[in-house]
């Protein structure tokens, strides 16, 4: 079996002797001489490069994307009989770490401190004697009500970090109950949850059902002192509505690691939205445990067993 591995990261999976691993340039379509491959690992390829070969690999049986969200692979048009597996779990630690950094930056008012530093101004309003819970503001995670919308592997990694710092954490998912020791509600109860939320962390995938899921109405349901953090997909937030909420001071602040269009165009209103912290899709980018996942799925494919992280199609 020929297995194509991207050159965008060092991969050394443990492979049986009958598997021939070939590196390919992830910044270009798979070259013609390797279109006979039966397995393809994807990391860093553009949707256009994937679409250019999706219908030209007659022996292809399996595509492993190392991204947590498989939207680029699904949108490329690989035949329905090709099994697609995602990188779910490979980014849980790094994305949760970045999400926590963004939450703390907002709550502890680090952007305001940075602006004061640029002005060479000692910001007395940010330091000195401070009430723990000032009226109309959230300045600590102690007793803060944090809602994690999209309570999968990343959300369940982030939640204990937040709770360790004193936050009251709840999740939103497709089914209600308890996950990883945290209460979880469905979107039917979302509006009620938003009304009592101090920090909303969005970790939703990009699907037709999540397009602009955080819209003007849901932003309006949040208290004025609330913060929004998005480390999922940019398409899940109505950016015009978010910009308006920030500009009109109907929201205390927001942090986006993802935007609907990436790179963010220079003329986007998001650049100048007040109290908005932007990072350039920096939360993930480093799949942890990729070798083990590829090795396990190669073994499963050869043995005819169920692969890990199969994406329904």
């Amino acid at each position: 079996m020929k297995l194509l591995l991207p050159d965008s990261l060092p991969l050394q999976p443990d492979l049986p002797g009958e598997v021939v691993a070939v590196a390919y340039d992830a910044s270009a379509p798979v070259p013609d001489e390797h279109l006979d491959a039966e397995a393809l690992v994807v990391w860093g390829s553009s949707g256009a490069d994937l679409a250019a070969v999706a219908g030209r690999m007659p022996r292809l049986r399996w595509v492993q994307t190392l991204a947590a969200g498989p939207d680029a692979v699904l949108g490329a048009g690989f035949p329905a009989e090709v099994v697609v597996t995602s990188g779910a779990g490979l980014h849980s630690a790094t994305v949760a770490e970045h999400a926590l950094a963004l939450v703390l930056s907002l709550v502890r008012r680090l952007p305001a401190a940075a602006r004061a530093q640029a002005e060479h101004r000692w910001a007395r309003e940010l330091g000195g004697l401070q009430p723990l819970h000032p009226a109309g503001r959230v300045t600590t995670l102690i007793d803060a009500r944090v809602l994690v919308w999209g309570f999968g592997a990343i959300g369940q990694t982030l939640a204990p970090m937040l709770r360790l710092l004193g936050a009251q954490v709840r999740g939103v998912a497709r089914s209600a109950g308890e996950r990883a020791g945290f209460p979880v509600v469905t979107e039917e109860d979302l509006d009620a949850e938003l009304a009592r939320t101090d920090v909303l962390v969005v970790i939703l995938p990009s699907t037709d059902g999540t397009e602009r899921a955080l819209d003007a109405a849901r932003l309006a349901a949040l208290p004025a002192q609330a913060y929004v953090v998005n480390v999922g997909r940019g398409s899940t937030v109505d950016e015009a509505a978010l910009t308006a909420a920030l500009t009109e001071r109907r929201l205390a602040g927001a942090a986006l690691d993802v935007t609907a269009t990436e790179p963010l165009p220079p003329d986007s209103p998001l650049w100048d939205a007040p109290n908005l912290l932007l990072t350039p899709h920096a939360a993930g980018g480093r799949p942890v445990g990729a070798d083990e996942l590829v090795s396990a799925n190669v073994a499963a494919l050869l043995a005819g067993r169920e692969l890990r992280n199969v994406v329904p199609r």
Side-chain angles (χ1 to χ4, degrees), residues 241-269:
L242 176 64
T243 301
L246 292 169
T247 302
E248 297 165 14
R249 300 298 193 270
R250 292 183 281 107
L251 197 64
L256 303 178
D257 183 57
V258 289
T259 55
T261 300
E262 296 180 0
L264 185 65
D267 60 350
S268 170

Side-chain angles (χ1 to χ4, degrees), residues 31 45 62 77 86 94 113 118 123-124 130 165 170 189 198 210 234 244 247 254 276 281 283 298:
S45 295
W62 162 54
S86 77
T94 54
R124 297 185 183 279
Q130 299 279 331
L165 293 173
R170 296 171 71 84
D189 298 314
D198 295 315
T210 62
T247 302
L276 176 63
H281 206 140
V298 166

